[in-house]
Amino acid sequence: MEMAQIRYVLAAAKSLNFTKAAEECCVSQPALTKGIKALENELETELFHREGRRILLSEFGRSMLPHLQQIVEETEAARALAQNFRLLKKVPIRLGVLSTVGHVRLARFLARFDKESPGVELSVSEGSASRLADQLLEGELDVLIATRTAELEDRLRTQDLYRERYVVVFPPDHRLSAHNAVRLADLDGEDYVDRLSCEMREMVISACQSKGVELYARFRSEREDWVQAMVLAGLGFAFMPEFSVSLPGLMQRPLIEPEVERQIAAMTAPGRKFSPGLESFFRVASRFSWPG
């Protein structure tokens, strides 16, 4: 069954005239009738009754019309999708973002990407690094933005975006506001808001233990917005990546002795070919003025 044959049948069914149908399809009448006859032979049933120059749809022909029309519509839709894909139109990118990555500065990059690639649709999912990496490898995501770790480097292809320090955040009336920077030792005995979703949490806790710094966690949460809200409400300080602080009114100072920082990277599945939209995503990312 060829697409030309299907189009001949639909044109003939519309005009009930082979001559007019041939003109509509821009072919000779013998070519059109030969194509229709070939399709009837393949289906082993007549689609038209021929009465001299007059033609009528057979009962079988009437029952086949919706199916033939659907084939044409789906073919045209597939062709349009392929064309749009080449032109970067309606090419979705499924982006996974580690929940601790600051959304304000990342949004600036996404806005630039949208401006330079206006036809590319974008969806964003948040989660833990391990879950998002699994989704990326399973084909449920196209790209992941997360902290570069040895574990992820072993599994994924990475492109660095920016580095950021860890800072100490606290309410405006906190005693630490008088400091230009905060040593880990300065925090001994301070009330603490624990960020359970932080991928570097264990490293910070280990540093506290090695320096004999004791912290009292008055509040624990996996949600970044709750952590910042509780800090601003006066429940204690928190360790945060500097570009993740988004709540107005929060004070922040660099953490020193020791300094802690992380590398944020864009990650893709090894060996997987980039779509045109994803190629555009990385072109914009390589030229973007990232923070820090």
Side-chain angles (χ1 to χ4, degrees):
M1 186 180 297
E2 299 177 2
M3 284 303 305
Q5 297 170 344
I6 295 174
R7 294 185 186 279
Y8 297 164
V9 170
L10 293 176
K14 179 181 176 181
S15 63
L16 294 179
N17 185 295
F18 283 161
T19 301
K20 292 182 180 179
E23 292 175 355
E24 181 179 337
C25 295
C26 300
V27 296
S28 66
Q29 181 177 330
L32 181 132
T33 54
K34 181 179 179 181
I36 291 177
K37 187 62 178 176
L39 182 54
E40 288 178 324
N41 290 338
E42 183 177 347
L43 297 174
E44 299 183 353
T45 309
E46 287 188 344
L47 295 165
F48 296 95
H49 295 308
R50 295 157 178 82
E51 299 178 357
R53 293 185 177 181
R54 184 179 177 221
I55 62 170
L56 296 172
L57 271 169
S58 67
E59 183 176 349
F60 174 71
R62 284 192 296 272
S63 67
M64 282 295 295
L65 276 186
H67 302 288
L68 298 178
Q69 184 64 46
Q70 182 178 359
I71 291 173
V72 171
E73 291 173 355
E74 291 181 351
T75 301
E76 291 176 348
R79 185 178 293 112
L81 181 61
Q83 182 180 15
N84 286 336
F85 189 87
R86 291 193 298 272
L87 297 176
L88 295 182
K89 293 180 178 179
K90 297 183 179 179
V91 187
I93 292 179
R94 300 162 298 174
L95 171 63
V97 179
L98 183 67
S99 59
T100 65
V101 170
H103 60 278
V104 175
R105 286 166 175 80
L106 183 58
R108 294 173 184 169
F109 160 68
L110 297 180
R112 173 65 62 83
F113 171 65
D114 180 71
K115 183 177 180 180
E116 296 192 21
S117 306
V120 183
E121 299 175 357
L122 185 70
S123 63
V124 179
S125 303
E126 280 193 343
S128 66
S130 59
R131 182 173 69 84
L132 292 174
D134 289 342
Q135 290 179 322
L136 180 63
L137 292 172
E138 291 168 5
E140 298 175 14
L141 294 174
D142 300 303
V143 58
L144 165 63
I145 293 180
T147 303
R148 190 183 69 189
T149 62
E151 179 183 357
L152 291 181
E153 282 185 304
D154 289 341
R155 304 176 66 192
L156 306 173
R157 178 171 50 188
T158 64
Q159 176 176 315
D160 289 344
L161 299 179
Y162 62 91
R163 299 188 74 85
E164 64 179 331
R165 302 172 300 174
Y166 267 61
V167 297
V168 179
V169 295
F170 44 83
D173 57 352
H174 199 282
R175 70 171 185 85
L176 295 174
S177 60
H179 295 239
N180 292 324
V182 178
R183 299 176 306 159
L184 195 59
D186 295 333
L187 301 170
D188 187 34
E190 288 287 336
D191 291 334
Y192 171 53
V193 177
D194 197 356
R195 297 171 57 246
L196 298 177
S197 61
C198 178
E199 71 280 7
M200 301 181 75
R201 177 175 178 269
E202 296 303 321
M203 185 186 71
V204 173
I205 291 177
S206 177
C208 290
Q209 292 174 344
S210 66
K211 290 184 175 293
V213 175
E214 295 185 2
L215 303 177
Y216 172 59
R218 295 185 61 193
F219 184 83
R220 305 175 188 270
S221 178
E222 294 183 349
R223 287 182 47 172
E224 299 288 279
D225 54 348
W226 272 102
V227 168
Q228 295 187 54
M230 291 301 138
V231 170
L232 189 60
L235 268 72
F237 78 92
F239 299 111
M240 295 195 70
E242 61 183 317
F243 302 130
S244 296
V245 182
S246 58
L247 194 62
L250 280 178
M251 305 289 289
Q252 60 174 286
R253 295 291 185 270
L255 176 65
I256 60 173
E257 298 181 22
E259 293 184 355
V260 178
E261 63 179 12
R262 67 177 180 176
Q263 176 69 56
I264 300 298
M267 308 177 189
T268 54
R272 186 175 300 165
K273 186 177 179 181
F274 283 8
S275 69
L278 198 54
E279 288 179 351
S280 178
F281 182 93
F282 277 94
R283 279 197 303 272
V284 177
S286 66
R287 300 194 308 265
F288 187 71
S289 296
W290 292 99

